[in-house]
mmCIF file of all heavy atoms in Angstrom:
data_model
loop_
_atom_site.group_PDB
_atom_site.id
_atom_site.type_symbol
_atom_site.label_atom_id
_atom_site.label_comp_id
_atom_site.label_asym_id
_atom_site.label_seq_id
_atom_site.Cartn_x
_atom_site.Cartn_y
_atom_site.Cartn_z
ATOM 1 N N ALA Q 1358 19.223 86.666 -17.157
ATOM 2 C CA ALA Q 1358 18.662 85.317 -17.034
ATOM 3 C C ALA Q 1358 19.270 84.384 -18.075
ATOM 4 O O ALA Q 1358 19.602 83.228 -17.758
ATOM 5 C CB ALA Q 1358 17.142 85.366 -17.175
ATOM 6 N N ALA Q 1359 19.444 84.870 -19.292
ATOM 7 C CA ALA Q 1359 19.979 84.041 -20.374
ATOM 8 C C ALA Q 1359 21.395 83.564 -20.064
ATOM 9 O O ALA Q 1359 21.774 82.446 -20.439
ATOM 10 C CB ALA Q 1359 19.952 84.812 -21.689
ATOM 11 N N GLN Q 1360 22.174 84.379 -19.361
ATOM 12 C CA GLN Q 1360 23.531 83.975 -18.993
ATOM 13 C C GLN Q 1360 23.532 82.725 -18.121
ATOM 14 O O GLN Q 1360 24.502 81.991 -18.093
ATOM 15 C CB GLN Q 1360 24.249 85.106 -18.257
ATOM 16 C CG GLN Q 1360 24.634 86.255 -19.142
ATOM 17 C CD GLN Q 1360 25.285 87.387 -18.360
ATOM 18 O OE1 GLN Q 1360 25.209 87.471 -17.140
ATOM 19 N NE2 GLN Q 1360 25.940 88.280 -19.091
ATOM 20 N N LYS Q 1361 22.416 82.503 -17.413
ATOM 21 C CA LYS Q 1361 22.310 81.327 -16.546
ATOM 22 C C LYS Q 1361 21.333 80.291 -17.111
ATOM 23 O O LYS Q 1361 20.932 79.380 -16.416
ATOM 24 C CB LYS Q 1361 21.863 81.759 -15.148
ATOM 25 C CG LYS Q 1361 22.901 82.613 -14.433
ATOM 26 C CD LYS Q 1361 22.419 83.031 -13.071
ATOM 27 C CE LYS Q 1361 22.400 81.848 -12.126
ATOM 28 N NZ LYS Q 1361 21.991 82.252 -10.762
ATOM 29 N N ASP Q 1362 20.952 80.477 -18.380
ATOM 30 C CA ASP Q 1362 20.004 79.572 -19.035
ATOM 31 C C ASP Q 1362 18.687 79.495 -18.260
ATOM 32 O O ASP Q 1362 18.092 78.434 -18.118
ATOM 33 C CB ASP Q 1362 20.636 78.180 -19.196
ATOM 34 C CG ASP Q 1362 19.880 77.320 -20.195
ATOM 35 O OD1 ASP Q 1362 19.234 77.885 -21.108
ATOM 36 O OD2 ASP Q 1362 19.909 76.086 -20.049
ATOM 37 N N ILE Q 1363 18.246 80.646 -17.756
ATOM 38 C CA ILE Q 1363 16.979 80.752 -17.018
ATOM 39 C C ILE Q 1363 15.952 81.409 -17.935
ATOM 40 O O ILE Q 1363 16.232 82.423 -18.572
ATOM 41 C CB ILE Q 1363 17.154 81.580 -15.727
ATOM 42 C CG1 ILE Q 1363 18.030 80.816 -14.731
ATOM 43 C CG2 ILE Q 1363 15.804 81.939 -15.112
ATOM 44 C CD1 ILE Q 1363 18.402 81.614 -13.489
ATOM 45 N N VAL Q 1364 14.764 80.814 -17.990
ATOM 46 C CA VAL Q 1364 13.662 81.379 -18.754
ATOM 47 C C VAL Q 1364 12.683 82.013 -17.768
ATOM 48 O O VAL Q 1364 12.358 81.407 -16.746
ATOM 49 C CB VAL Q 1364 12.946 80.291 -19.587
ATOM 50 C CG1 VAL Q 1364 11.738 80.870 -20.313
ATOM 51 C CG2 VAL Q 1364 13.919 79.660 -20.567
ATOM 52 N N ILE Q 1365 12.243 83.232 -18.061
ATOM 53 C CA ILE Q 1365 11.268 83.916 -17.205
ATOM 54 C C ILE Q 1365 9.898 83.776 -17.857
ATOM 55 O O ILE Q 1365 9.704 84.174 -19.003
ATOM 56 C CB ILE Q 1365 11.616 85.412 -17.034
ATOM 57 C CG1 ILE Q 1365 13.045 85.580 -16.502
ATOM 58 C CG2 ILE Q 1365 10.601 86.080 -16.105
ATOM 59 C CD1 ILE Q 1365 13.531 87.016 -16.509
ATOM 60 N N HIS Q 1366 8.960 83.190 -17.114
ATOM 61 C CA HIS Q 1366 7.588 83.016 -17.596
ATOM 62 C C HIS Q 1366 6.702 84.060 -16.924
ATOM 63 O O HIS Q 1366 6.850 84.325 -15.730
ATOM 64 C CB HIS Q 1366 7.074 81.617 -17.247
ATOM 65 C CG HIS Q 1366 7.909 80.527 -17.825
ATOM 66 N ND1 HIS Q 1366 7.784 80.117 -19.131
ATOM 67 C CD2 HIS Q 1366 8.891 79.773 -17.278
ATOM 68 C CE1 HIS Q 1366 8.661 79.146 -19.363
ATOM 69 N NE2 HIS Q 1366 9.334 78.922 -18.263
ATOM 70 N N LEU Q 1367 5.769 84.631 -17.676
ATOM 71 C CA LEU Q 1367 4.859 85.641 -17.147
ATOM 72 C C LEU Q 1367 3.419 85.213 -17.365
ATOM 73 O O LEU Q 1367 3.029 84.881 -18.475
ATOM 74 C CB LEU Q 1367 5.112 86.995 -17.827
ATOM 75 C CG LEU Q 1367 4.186 88.143 -17.439
ATOM 76 C CD1 LEU Q 1367 4.299 88.479 -15.955
ATOM 77 C CD2 LEU Q 1367 4.484 89.369 -18.295
ATOM 78 N N THR Q 1368 2.647 85.204 -16.279
ATOM 79 C CA THR Q 1368 1.215 84.943 -16.338
ATOM 80 C C THR Q 1368 0.519 86.193 -15.829
ATOM 81 O O THR Q 1368 0.779 86.624 -14.699
ATOM 82 C CB THR Q 1368 0.826 83.742 -15.451
ATOM 83 O OG1 THR Q 1368 1.620 82.626 -15.830
ATOM 84 C CG2 THR Q 1368 -0.646 83.420 -15.568
ATOM 85 N N THR Q 1369 -0.353 86.767 -16.650
ATOM 86 C CA THR Q 1369 -0.936 88.046 -16.281
ATOM 87 C C THR Q 1369 -2.217 88.314 -17.071
ATOM 88 O O THR Q 1369 -2.375 87.781 -18.166
ATOM 89 C CB THR Q 1369 0.086 89.180 -16.533
ATOM 90 O OG1 THR Q 1369 -0.480 90.415 -16.167
ATOM 91 C CG2 THR Q 1369 0.504 89.238 -17.978
ATOM 92 N N PRO Q 1370 -3.083 89.147 -16.536
ATOM 93 C CA PRO Q 1370 -4.197 89.624 -17.371
ATOM 94 C C PRO Q 1370 -3.632 90.552 -18.454
ATOM 95 O O PRO Q 1370 -2.459 90.938 -18.394
ATOM 96 C CB PRO Q 1370 -5.084 90.386 -16.384
ATOM 97 C CG PRO Q 1370 -4.215 90.706 -15.223
ATOM 98 C CD PRO Q 1370 -3.132 89.680 -15.184
ATOM 99 N N ASN Q 1371 -4.449 90.914 -19.432
ATOM 100 C CA ASN Q 1371 -3.977 91.803 -20.509
ATOM 101 C C ASN Q 1371 -3.527 93.154 -19.976
ATOM 102 O O ASN Q 1371 -2.516 93.695 -20.397
ATOM 103 C CB ASN Q 1371 -5.064 92.000 -21.561
ATOM 104 C CG ASN Q 1371 -5.286 90.742 -22.363
ATOM 105 O OD1 ASN Q 1371 -4.378 89.947 -22.536
ATOM 106 N ND2 ASN Q 1371 -6.500 90.552 -22.832
ATOM 107 N N THR Q 1372 -4.302 93.712 -19.066
ATOM 108 C CA THR Q 1372 -3.947 94.977 -18.418
ATOM 109 C C THR Q 1372 -4.311 94.867 -16.943
ATOM 110 O O THR Q 1372 -5.145 94.046 -16.560
ATOM 111 C CB THR Q 1372 -4.693 96.185 -19.026
ATOM 112 O OG1 THR Q 1372 -6.088 96.012 -18.817
ATOM 113 C CG2 THR Q 1372 -4.383 96.342 -20.497
ATOM 114 N N CYS Q 1373 -3.719 95.710 -16.154
ATOM 115 C CA CYS Q 1373 -4.001 95.697 -14.723
ATOM 116 C C CYS Q 1373 -3.603 97.062 -14.162
ATOM 117 O O CYS Q 1373 -2.427 97.340 -13.937
ATOM 118 C CB CYS Q 1373 -3.215 94.576 -14.054
ATOM 119 S SG CYS Q 1373 -3.537 94.415 -12.294
ATOM 120 N N SER Q 1374 -4.570 97.913 -13.977
ATOM 121 C CA SER Q 1374 -4.308 99.260 -13.499
ATOM 122 C C SER Q 1374 -4.202 99.269 -11.976
ATOM 123 O O SER Q 1374 -5.013 98.656 -11.286
ATOM 124 C CB SER Q 1374 -5.433 100.190 -13.948
ATOM 125 O OG SER Q 1374 -5.145 101.503 -13.565
ATOM 126 N N VAL Q 1375 -3.168 99.946 -11.466
ATOM 127 C CA VAL Q 1375 -2.982 100.095 -10.020
ATOM 128 C C VAL Q 1375 -2.757 101.566 -9.691
ATOM 129 O O VAL Q 1375 -2.354 102.350 -10.549
ATOM 130 C CB VAL Q 1375 -1.793 99.252 -9.488
ATOM 131 C CG1 VAL Q 1375 -2.032 97.768 -9.693
ATOM 132 C CG2 VAL Q 1375 -0.490 99.669 -10.128
#
Side-chain angles (χ1 to χ4, degrees):
Q1360 288 177 344
K1361 294 179 71 177
D1362 196 27
I1363 292 173
V1364 176
I1365 305 171
H1366 301 279
L1367 177 62
T1368 306
T1369 180
N1371 289 331
T1372 63
C1373 183
S1374 184
V1375 297

